[in-house]
Amino acid sequence: MTAAAVHTFDVERARRETPGCENVVHLNNAGAALMPTPVLDRTVTHLKLEARVGGYEAAALVAEEIEDVYGSAARLLGCRTDEIAVVDSATRAWDMAFYSVPFRPGDRILTSEAEYASNFIAYLQLAQRYNLRVDVVPNGESGQISVPRLRDLIDERVRLISLTHVPTNGGLVNPAAEVGKVARDAGVLYLLDACQSAGQMSLDVDEIGCDMVSMTGRKYLRGPRGTGLLYVRREVLDELAPPMLDLHAATWVARDEYRIRPDARRFESWECNYAAKLGLGAAIDYALGWGLDRIRGRVYALADELRLSLAQLPQVTVHDAGVERCGIVSFTVDGVAPADVQAALGAHGINVSVSRTPSTRLDMENRGLEELVRASVHYYNTCEELAMLCDVVRDIGPRR
Ligand SMILES: *Cc1c(COP(=O)(O)O)cnc(C)c1O
């Protein structure tokens, strides 16, 4: 491996601080990454505190640390703390933003071929409810969204540009900042699904030019399951009416009157998993400690290495598209179903997953694909682990 990033990264330390590295070769980081020790400790410590003194009382004892989670998220995204909501998944974050957009009949949504199923299902639901048009911006030749085509599709009916930054099923990185420039020029709301990019590259909301960003805790950020983050730009907050409110998102001030809170926490609900929320904060701090640019350097280099090695196997086809390719590596093996590849790797303690058409239907159909093996690397993976994967894949080729 040639990239300097691979050599200057303290992998030893990363692995020492990742208990799961002792048990598995984890290449399912796009599903849920292995938690590092500080995340695990912070989460478990709070659960134990709840058991010892009571849940409300435990939350009161760590009130400041809970506030700090917002500060960590704001540092991650280059935004203000009052622009952050902590929720329980990326989907909930994205939904709260999307269903808050004040659509009018005839409005258009511009989106990409890489869209995640949950997003597209929501487009379809509101399209039927409000008579909206959902226009999919075609990809350019490289497989990333065509920014010139996006620009051509803008008119006064476009209410929202909604983009998946990195799709669930491959290494493509859509040019989020170039899309942001189009959104800014047109004065259109821009929602970015950064579920797979958060934690493997730096995301600055001003550089990207987006108004809303959703992300999850458990993937590249290495947080606990059941956590998600939403960023909403302060300037657009009052345009957005949350689809549901509770006594945390709003205050009941008189018999017939409520007031929505002024910050992005209007998208949260009162109840939450405090242990997980603190764990998410620890995960963000941990990622910032490594540095997102350094993480990206190592993740990209490992993924490139894996693509190159897999491509040398005659029975393997690597499917990642785009100009820039991230830590998600997608491939198929001639004559072997992806689920069988997954099972064979699993028998050797190597975790990967399978992406299927219904998760990213437009992209899969356009490329004539039904299922893919998804091997997603993180910085704590090693070249030896990638070689192990390739060895297993080499041996499961169709019997001749
Ligand atoms: C995983 C994923 C989601 C959903 O995240 P959850 O935390 O499971 O809600 C959304 N978008 C993309 C691109 C994803 O890969």
Side-chain angles (χ1 to χ4, degrees):
M1 188 167 304
T2 52
V6 174
H7 298 294
T8 58
F9 203 97
D10 190 354
V11 187
E12 290 295 314
R13 189 192 128 207
R15 293 181 70 80
R16 222 171 32 243
E17 294 174 354
T18 305
C21 285
E22 284 184 20
N23 313 314
V24 287
V25 173
H26 195 65
L27 296 168
N28 190 15
N29 295 290
L34 298 174
M35 282 182 279
T37 310
V39 172
L40 187 61
D41 287 351
R42 192 66 201 89
T43 307
V44 171
T45 300
H46 190 75
L47 276 179
K48 287 182 172 164
L49 184 65
E50 287 186 343
R52 214 165 62 237
V53 304
Y56 286 32
E57 294 74 11
L61 284 173
V62 299
E64 256 178 57
E65 278 182 75
I66 290 163
E67 278 307 305
D68 289 344
V69 177
Y70 295 85
S72 300
R75 274 197 302 285
L76 180 72
L77 293 169
C79 68
R80 301 162 40 118
T81 54
D82 62 359
E83 295 175 310
I84 296 290
V86 182
V87 295
D88 52 17
S89 71
T91 301
R92 184 54 67 236
W94 189 94
D95 282 344
M96 288 306 276
F98 176 72
Y99 285 93
S100 293
V101 175
F103 289 108
R104 292 161 309 204
D107 279 350
R108 295 168 68 206
I109 297 170
L110 298 186
T111 190
S112 74
E113 295 192 4
E115 285 310 287
Y116 191 62
S118 299
N119 303 0
F120 216 89
I121 290 166
Y123 305 149
L124 294 176
Q125 189 193 28
L126 288 201
Q128 285 164 16
R129 189 181 294 167
Y130 297 117
N131 192 25
L132 310 176
R133 231 175 80 191
V134 182
D135 290 316
V136 178
V137 182
N139 284 338
E141 258 168 42
S142 68
Q144 67 175 30
I145 187 172
S146 164
V147 177
R149 297 295 297 274
L150 169 66
R151 218 175 259 286
D152 288 345
L153 283 166
I154 294 280
D155 66 17
E156 68 288 346
R157 318 213 70 168
V158 175
R159 191 81 178 137
L160 178 72
I161 296 174
S162 177
L163 178 73
T164 293
H165 195 189
V166 168
T168 194
N169 67 331
L172 169 73
V173 181
N174 267 320
E178 287 176 53
V179 169
K181 187 139 193 335
V182 177
R184 281 293 162 86
D185 290 349
V188 171
L189 281 173
Y190 174 21
L191 167 58
L192 184 69
D193 176 342
C195 194
Q196 292 293 1
S197 47
Q200 64 166 318
M201 61 191 75
S202 62
L203 296 171
D204 181 294
V205 292
D206 288 332
E207 273 169 31
I208 294 171
C210 52
D211 300 300
M212 301 162 278
V213 180
S214 58
M215 56 191 74
T216 197
R218 73 175 186 279
K219 296 180 181 173
Y220 277 90
L221 275 173
R222 309 184 64 194
R225 294 200 64 170
T227 56
L229 280 174
L230 173 64
Y231 156 81
V232 178
R233 188 174 294 281
R234 206 157 164 263
E235 289 75 16
V236 304
L237 203 56
D238 287 328
E239 280 176 53
L240 304 175
M244 53 189 107
L245 293 168
D246 72 356
L247 80 181
H248 168 80
T251 306
W252 192 11
V253 291
R255 162 71 176 73
D256 292 318
E257 200 185 335
Y258 65 87
R259 213 162 284 150
I260 301 180
R261 57 184 298 156
D263 58 18
R265 294 186 210 184
R266 66 177 59 181
F267 300 105
E268 298 180 344
S269 44
W270 185 84
E271 175 57 350
C272 69
N273 183 335
Y274 282 96
K277 189 165 177 170
L278 290 163
L280 174 65
I284 296 169
D285 292 343
Y286 192 74
L288 291 170
W290 285 102
L292 273 305
D293 289 339
R294 287 178 65 229
I295 290 174
R296 175 184 184 271
R298 175 155 174 94
V299 168
Y300 278 36
L302 284 171
D304 282 345
E305 163 88 10
L306 181 56
R307 284 186 198 104
L308 275 175
S309 307
L310 284 169
Q312 278 163 19
L313 303 178
Q315 71 274 37
V316 172
T317 310
V318 176
H319 293 282
D320 301 312
V323 176
E324 177 183 339
R325 289 167 207 196
C326 67
I328 303 179
V329 177
S330 59
F331 64 95
T332 47
V333 182
D334 289 350
V336 188
D340 293 338
V341 177
Q342 180 188 28
L345 289 164
H348 287 82
I350 303 171
N351 297 338
V352 298
S353 64
V354 177
S355 290
R356 299 184 168 86
T357 298
S359 301
T360 46
R361 179 168 289 283
L362 299 180
D363 174 62
M364 295 292 268
E365 286 182 348
N366 283 347
R367 294 196 286 158
L369 296 166
E370 279 174 13
E371 296 183 326
L372 296 164
V373 184
R374 184 183 70 176
S376 42
V377 304
H378 216 320
Y379 56 78
Y380 52 74
N381 292 126
T382 62
C383 297
E384 291 70 37
E385 290 182 325
L386 305 184
M388 283 173 66
L389 176 140
C390 291
D391 285 346
V392 175
V393 170
R394 179 184 297 113
D395 291 345
I396 55 171
R399 305 268 164 262
R400 274 176 268 259

